[in-house]
Amino acid sequence: MTHTPSPARVLAVCTGNICRSPVVERLLAARLAGGDVHVASAGTHAVVGHPVSAPMVPLVRAAGADAGSFAARRLTAAQVREADLVLTLTREHRSQVVRLVPAAVRRTFTLLELARLVDRVDPDALRAAGATPGARVRALPTLVPGVRQLGDVGPDDVPDPIGGSDAVYRATFDQISAAVEALATALRD
């Protein structure tokens, strides 16, 4: 009997779990659809039960992902422990995750940091880690530390668009979308 491994788990974390982390969840899930990766999100101060923030909905849909049937949830230690990879939207969120579950420090990155670093990971090493996106998700925390010294410079925080104009939401969405695409490309190719 062949054992099918459980999907790799990616957890995206922001503050309210209604803008930034749901965008990461829905875009990454859409880019890795049909694979062996489960993507979820949560908020450090979630607006529990609320849908994706209205200005983000058309942006998510236009990118080919589903923004419906979403309900914000609060971050728990169990979610962090179950995740193979935790993607936060700011350094402060990363600190909060690590305070909640200190053992998660090696598998928790800001989204923008990981998007920069994954570009420096040897593609052959990533492919050797496994043939599926899930196997590669599980390998990233061991592969990324080896490239940190190669000049990991750039912004780590994605600004919270809550209360901002449509242009602010668009800028936040574009920043997240580009980072998710870089990560998804590395995991698929």
Side-chain angles (χ1 to χ4, degrees):
M1 194 178 249
T2 305
H3 171 65
T4 304
S6 61
R9 295 188 166 288
V10 177
L11 178 65
V13 177
C14 71
T15 305
N17 193 217
I18 57 172
C19 282
R20 295 168 292 174
S21 58
V23 170
V24 174
E25 173 189 328
R26 296 303 171 101
L27 291 182
L28 189 57
R31 299 304 177 266
L32 301 176
D36 58 344
V37 178
H38 173 77
V39 187
S41 64
T44 58
H45 293 87
V47 187
V48 175
H50 282 246
V52 175
S53 184
M56 280 296 187
V57 171
L59 300 173
V60 171
R61 286 186 182 141
D66 178 21
S69 68
F70 178 85
R73 62 189 189 148
R74 188 164 179 89
L75 180 68
T76 67
Q79 293 164 342
V80 174
R81 279 191 293 274
E82 292 170 1
D84 296 292
L85 183 65
V86 181
L87 302 173
T88 66
L89 278 296
T90 68
R91 287 181 303 247
E92 178 55 31
H93 295 135
R94 184 180 189 279
S95 294
Q96 290 174 327
V97 166
V98 172
R99 278 194 298 275
L100 190 61
V101 180
V105 69
R106 288 189 174 91
R107 54 190 164 85
T108 304
F109 304 87
T110 70
L111 174 68
L112 298 183
E113 171 192 31
L114 188 59
R116 286 191 311 272
L117 291 171
V118 77
D119 191 46
R120 294 186 179 103
V121 170
D122 178 0
D124 292 332
L126 195 52
R127 280 191 290 277
T132 67
R136 294 171 185 178
V137 162
R138 288 184 175 105
L140 274 178
T142 60
L143 295 173
V144 167
V147 298
R148 271 210 164 109
Q149 76 282 3
L150 298 177
D152 178 34
V153 182
D156 285 335
D157 295 353
V158 175
D160 190 343
I162 289 291
S165 67
D166 286 347
V168 169
Y169 275 89
R170 167 55 82 178
T172 296
F173 178 86
D174 288 347
Q175 197 173 22
I176 293 169
S177 180
V180 165
E181 193 57 42
L183 181 57
T185 298
L187 294 172
R188 282 190 321 250
D189 293 347

